[in-house]
Amino acid sequence: QVQLQESGPGLVRSSQTLSLTCTVSGGSMNSGTNYWGWIRQPAGQGLEWIGHIYTSGSSKYNASLKSRVSISIDTSQNRLSLRLTSMTAADTAVYYCVRLVGGWFGELWGPKYMDVWGRGTTVTVSS
Amino acid sequence: EIVLTQSTGILSLSPGERATLSCRASQSVSSDLAWYQQKPGQAPRLLIYGASSRATGVPDRFSGSGSGTDFTLTISKLEPEDFAVYYCQQYDTSLTFGQGTKLEIK
């Protein structure tokens, strides 16, 4: 059974860069059908999709974060990474690593829903 | 961006009752809709995908219906462990979530 574990600093200073890692166990990231991504959730609020990446390295990001976010994947190490620059208090949240099921949209292959979630890691931005 | 509206913010019901949660999309998402359950301090859990298919291990008291812009998650007979927050998510065009419906014990 695939499990995801997020790791990284719990506290980041305002204007600095957040770097998180997600380690995948119980299976290979190289399945060829799944996407891997990040979701975040501020305390007491809803879920926000940050972005995702395919094993080919092709990625897509939330338009509201696109200028600050980068997601990378290392299938040899079974690791997913998130980098978010210019952090502000609005970026304080629980960050989840997720596996997205891939599927066909007509003739295109794309991400659908999230079937595996990590436990999440809390990131607080301090001034 | 496709906006998903879960019009009921809080739904108060008793165990044994039937729960009906709604999710409306700002434009058609076909059947590209999923539902998640989130309990306090836990990550969300996939319940329904493709608008009506139950994920592995999900009890059959959970069912999903709808297509296009209007979707429903029904819990036929509430168990104590079903009281949680429920989110819908569309994957027809990019990925977006509804704001959630909290199902609380009456």
Side-chain angles (χ1 to χ4, degrees), chain A residues 39 41 45-49 52 60-62 96 100 105 111-115 117-120, chain B residues 1 32 34 36 38 41-46 49-50 87 89 91-95 97-99:
Chain A
I39 305 295
Q41 183 174 37
Q45 297 184 40
L47 302 165
E48 180 181 32
W49 165 67
H52 59 257
K60 187 172 181 181
Y61 305 118
N62 187 318
Y96 294 102
L100 300 97
F105 294 87
K112 296 201 170 199
Y113 49 88
M114 300 105 193
D115 68 335
W117 294 67
R119 288 189 166 188
Chain B
E1 174 182 300
D32 296 334
Y36 301 86
Q38 186 178 32
Q42 297 185 17
R45 168 198 178 197
L46 176 67
Y49 61 93
Y87 294 95
Q89 175 240 330
Y91 45 92
D92 180 84
T93 303
S94 193
L95 302 171
F97 290 92
Q99 76 272 34

Side-chain angles (χ1 to χ4, degrees), chain A residues 96-109:
Chain A
Y96 294 102
C97 174
V98 296
R99 185 178 78 173
L100 300 97
V101 172
W104 291 107
F105 294 87
E107 296 181 350
L108 297 176
W109 186 259

Side-chain angles (χ1 to χ4, degrees), chain A residues 59-79:
Chain A
S59 58
K60 187 172 181 181
Y61 305 118
N62 187 318
S64 68
L65 300 170
K66 191 173 182 179
S67 63
R68 300 194 292 129
V69 67
S70 176
I71 295 174
S72 60
I73 190 169
D74 184 342
T75 55
S76 67
Q77 296 290 320
N78 256 16
R79 284 182 187 164

